[in-house]
Amino acid sequence: NSQEFLNKLQLYINAFIAIPMLGFIILFLRIENRSYYPDFLGEEITFYLRFVIFAAIMILIVFGLILSKRKRESLDANMSIRDKLNIYYSASISRAYSLLGATLLALIGLTLTAEQFYVIYYTICLVAFSMTYPTIYRINRELKLNREEREVIISRKKIK
């Protein structure tokens, strides 16, 4: 049914958020307690790395959004609701992988430099995840479901 579909999709996306967050929390606490001093890169490289990683993060976020939208554009009004949800699932997971990549880049930057810029970058990634998080209402809006299909999703009926 539609509730199982939503639970499965949200479970994967929650894992994409939670797993890097665990690494981020551990690293952030070590930095704040002054028990982590990365000494991998020179000052000049660290300076330029901020911009390179920020650009890569923004590219990944935009790429994920565009890829997801393109996959959803293959939807046809005559498709069954199950086929529409399968396409939505594929589009959402693709977008989530892209956002996961952006999140990991922020975490890598923080690991290499321990600079607060990467905390901001990580936060931008979390905001992107939250703005694209799949809900019943987002699914209805993005799939442009008809009244009968919306009713199946909202009332969590069995999908035909």
Side-chain angles (χ1 to χ4, degrees), residues 6 9-11 13-14 17 88 95 127-136 138-139:
L6 189 61
L9 181 57
Q10 287 177 341
L11 177 71
I13 292 176
N14 287 339
I17 295 169
Y88 185 83
R95 179 177 56 218
V127 168
F129 263 117
S130 68
M131 290 176 60
T132 61
Y133 193 76
T135 63
I136 289 173
R138 177 177 296 281
I139 291 170

Side-chain angles (χ1 to χ4, degrees), residues 36-108:
Y36 181 74
Y37 300 101
D39 205 11
F40 305 116
L41 308 171
E43 203 172 300
E44 187 174 322
I45 292 173
T46 301
F47 176 77
Y48 289 112
L49 190 64
R50 285 183 210 150
F51 301 107
V52 170
I53 288 185
F54 180 73
I57 286 170
M58 298 315 288
I59 288 169
L60 279 170
I61 290 172
V62 170
F63 174 76
L65 295 172
I66 291 171
L67 180 65
S68 174
K69 185 174 181 171
R70 283 197 179 150
K71 284 188 175 196
R72 288 192 324 269
E73 285 173 353
S74 68
L75 290 169
D76 182 8
N78 297 324
M79 294 176 123
S80 71
I81 189 168
R82 182 174 302 282
D83 291 338
K84 289 179 181 178
L85 290 175
N86 285 337
I87 289 172
Y88 185 83
Y89 181 85
S90 173
S92 295
I93 292 296
S94 297
R95 179 177 56 218
Y97 271 116
S98 184
L99 295 176
L100 174 64
T103 304
L104 292 175
L105 276 177
L107 192 56
I108 289 168

